[in-house]
Amino acid sequence: MNNRLRRSRAGNPKGGALANAIAVAFCLVWVFPVYWMVNTAFKPRSEAMTSTPLFLPKSPTLSNFDAAINQTTFYRTLWNSLIVVGGTVLLAVVLGMFAAAALSRFRFRGRRAIMVAILIVQMLPGSALLIPTFLVFNRVGLLGTYAGLILAYVAVVLPFSIWVMRGFFIAVPVEIEEAARIDGASTWQILYKILFPLVAPGMVASSIFAFIAAWNDYLVAYTFMKDQDQYTLPVWLASFSTPITGTDFGGQMAGSVVFSLPVVVFFLIIQRKLVSGVSAGAVKG
Amino acid sequence: MTTQPLAGTSRTSGLRPHTSPRRRPSWAPWWLLSPAGLVMLTVTAAPIVFLIYTSFTDYSQRSLFTGTYHQVGLRQYTALFDDPQFWQALLRSVLFTAAMVAGSIAVGTAVAQLLTRLATAMRLTVTIVLVLAWAMPTVASSLVWKWLFQPGYGVVNWLLTQAGVFGDMTDTDWANDPFLAYLSIWLLIVWQAVPFIALTLYAALTQLPLELQEAARLDGAGEFRVWWSVTLPFLRPTLMLVALLSVIWDFNVFNQIWLVSSGGPDSATTTLGIFAYRTAFVAFKIGQGAALSVITTAILVAITALYIRNLLRSGEDL
């Protein structure tokens, strides 16, 4: 792929003035909401609510972060989020890996039907599951519990996690395993020394996906967790505005920065992997 | 919803030829599948069956406590079909989805093309900006949007007023005008959807064999003609994929609408998803909400069938 990329770069006129101008304009527009969130987060209240907006805080302050984080509910909310996210990641990756191994290393009757079923489930709208899951969880007492929320998230993430890890399993040639077996490796050694290291990137990819899905979800948590001490971060963040006091935009923007940060960091780290993954199929000749 | 490209990963890695999985029959795969299968059966398959069942009952708020409800046959569906609000919400969803998908794909394609024409430093800058917009959780970006478009203090109102094209917009309340509420949500969705589309299409573009373009240029084709006759056909499979995924996601948009306008003003931004949520969880007409969800799901499954057929046609080995 590098070879091709280099050639394609040589083929196009690079860095033309017009292209650069458009790129700068695009960047300004697209980064603006992010910039405005950060900008507001560091403004004291008197500077946030001005009729002529300030493009940089005059006297930058951390008081918004303070106000957000020192709300008595913040740590409780963070804790809720961490437990739910951790549980989701763990279950999605472990169950996903088992299933992916089955679907890639074995041929058996019904395999194709299961793959199609997984694809369909992956495409099902989460909102369709919301009503019946709510009713069932209401009946069995899982509403407002960590276990209920984790289960709901795992259901959403699992098909994808299986699908991704299956790709990584398939990429490992059977010949490697056969060679190891001939050299006298046990099944466990083959798994531990050959298969796991080779599919580790798939486990990382599914964990990150599960993390982001559970961390970001608003709808399910908003519907299932009605008590304030059950809130997860997104619900807590959205509930910053109350009809009585109005919205504390400084605090809300500071909260948004804190809440977005882990996701942004993940995206920046894995961005290249995401994109090269998309083109991987085309690279393979 | 923010990690879409991995869907591409899984899709494309499936294109690799199968490395002849083991053929000996065994129970091992079923053991390996059972935990995941159990979860999917109990939290996906069963609820879907239950959803369909509930849509034929008069399940209501009272039923939540008493557990009693009655079979009402098709009454929930006929009530919906007689309800002009349902048809409005359906029409809104379709038109809104079309507008969001068209906007995201158009801008995304343009940005992908732009990326191929930039030198490394500029390309990296654009990529980082794209990733920032892409990574923002929808709750955070919806809240930022509300702030950007705030009457009195919103910076967008201020900028537009300064530009002077639409007069004084300082006190314009975007959430209170049907068209403006739509416009601001449309901008939010497009803003957040463009990165995935642009980066995916750019990845595809880097694979474009240059010989084809050069040959077309040698034959005297202009730049637009080269793009139309060489680049676009090459991008078509990727475009199809991102378009179908966008349709599915955008038809399903909930958070952004709920947090920015809550479906208002006066249900002007009430799409099917919002309508179903309000019916089931605000008015607690759960049976009716279930019928709505069944209809929405049927529409999305039809689109998904298209997607899967497309996968199979493109030679995906399941």
Side-chain angles (χ1 to χ4, degrees), chain A residues 22 34-35 37 48 51 55 68 70 82 99 102 120 125 173 196 201 211 213 217 227 237 243-244 270 280:
Chain A
I22 298 174
V34 181
Y35 156 67
M37 167 180 77
S51 47
F55 281 79
N70 283 337
L82 288 178
I120 293 173
F196 284 172
F211 169 89
D217 167 76
D227 283 351
L237 197 56
I244 303 141
I270 62 169

Side-chain angles (χ1 to χ4, degrees), chain A residues 68-69 73-82 84-85 149 153 211 214-218 221 228 230-240 255-256 258-260 262, chain B residues 139-140 143:
Chain A
I69 288 171
T73 47
F74 175 77
Y75 289 101
R76 171 81 201 179
T77 310
L78 179 67
W79 179 241
N80 291 343
S81 268
L82 288 178
V84 171
V85 168
L149 210 51
Y153 292 156
F211 169 89
W215 182 260
N216 286 356
D217 167 76
Y218 171 76
Q228 202 163 36
Q230 300 168 343
Y231 281 0
T232 54
L233 281 175
V235 183
W236 170 81
L237 197 56
S239 73
F240 248 63
S256 297
V258 172
F259 173 60
S260 305
Chain B
V139 170
L143 297 174

Side-chain angles (χ1 to χ4, degrees), chain A residues 1 4-5 7-9 12-15 19-20 22-24 26-27 30-34 36-37 40 48-53 55 95 98-99 102-109 111-112 114 116 118-121 123-125 127-136 138-139 151-152 154-155 158 160 163-164 166-167 170 172-174 177 181 205 209 212 216 218-219 222-223 234 237-238 249 252-253 256 259-260 263-264 267-268 271 274-275 277-279 281-284, chain B residues 2-3 5-13 15-23 26 28-30 32-33 35-36 39-40 43-44 47-48 50-51 54 59 64 67 107 111 114 116-119 122-123 125-137 139-140 143-148 150 152-153 155 158-159 190-191 194-195 199-200 203 206-207 210-211 217 245 248 252 254-255 258-259 277 280-281 286 289-290 293 297 300-301 304 307-308 311-312 316-318:
Chain A
M1 172 165 125
R4 285 199 165 188
L5 265 176
R7 279 197 294 123
S8 92
R9 268 170 213 162
N12 276 324
K14 291 297 167 183
N20 276 326
I22 298 174
V24 168
F26 173 81
C27 283
W30 240 252
V31 87
F32 191 79
V34 181
W36 206 250
M37 167 180 77
T40 309
M49 309 291 251
T50 53
S51 47
T52 305
F55 281 79
L95 301 189
F98 287 165
L103 291 168
S104 58
R105 306 313 272 183
F106 298 90
R107 275 216 183 273
F108 56 94
R109 284 176 83 106
R111 197 179 57 91
R112 202 182 151 89
I114 291 175
V116 173
I118 290 172
L119 264 183
I120 293 173
V121 170
M123 287 296 153
L124 276 179
S127 51
L129 293 173
L130 194 67
I131 296 173
T133 312
F134 177 87
L135 295 179
V136 174
N138 176 58
R139 183 58 72 79
L151 266 178
V154 170
L158 198 51
F160 176 81
W163 197 243
V164 165
R166 176 182 161 272
I170 288 175
V172 181
V174 180
E177 279 178 65
R181 204 174 291 278
F209 176 76
I212 291 171
N216 286 356
Y218 171 76
L219 180 57
Y222 173 69
T223 313
L237 197 56
F249 281 106
Q252 209 172 45
M253 292 303 108
S256 297
F259 173 60
S260 305
V263 186
V264 171
F267 264 74
L268 287 174
Q271 186 273 130
L274 296 180
V275 174
V278 174
S279 55
V283 175
K284 217 199 141 313
Chain B
T2 41
T3 37
L6 284 172
T9 314
S10 50
R11 190 186 89 89
T12 43
S13 51
L15 287 174
R16 293 159 196 276
H18 254 290
T19 46
S20 61
R22 277 171 226 162
R23 267 150 221 290
S26 105
W30 294 105
L32 288 168
L33 276 172
V39 169
M40 275 158 70
V43 205
T44 307
I48 286 288
F50 193 52
L51 177 75
T54 310
Y59 213 105
L64 278 178
V107 181
V111 173
L114 178 68
T116 65
R117 304 200 173 248
L118 295 174
M122 201 61 199
R123 196 178 55 240
T125 312
V126 176
T127 306
I128 289 175
V129 166
L130 287 172
V131 171
L132 282 178
W134 186 12
M136 274 258 265
V139 170
L143 297 174
V144 171
W145 233 250
K146 253 185 139 160
W147 174 222
L148 287 171
Q150 199 55 217
Y153 307 107
V155 66
W158 182 83
L159 283 170
V190 171
W191 178 76
V194 160
L199 291 171
T200 307
T206 60
Q207 306 301 320
L210 287 161
E211 297 79 3
R217 283 201 193 96
L245 289 173
I248 291 167
N252 243 339
F254 179 89
N255 290 356
W258 188 251
L259 290 168
Y277 191 88
F281 294 109
I286 295 170
S293 286
T297 309
L300 285 164
V301 166
T304 308
Y307 167 73
I308 292 178
L311 274 188
L312 292 172
E316 177 84 1
D317 184 14
L318 286 175

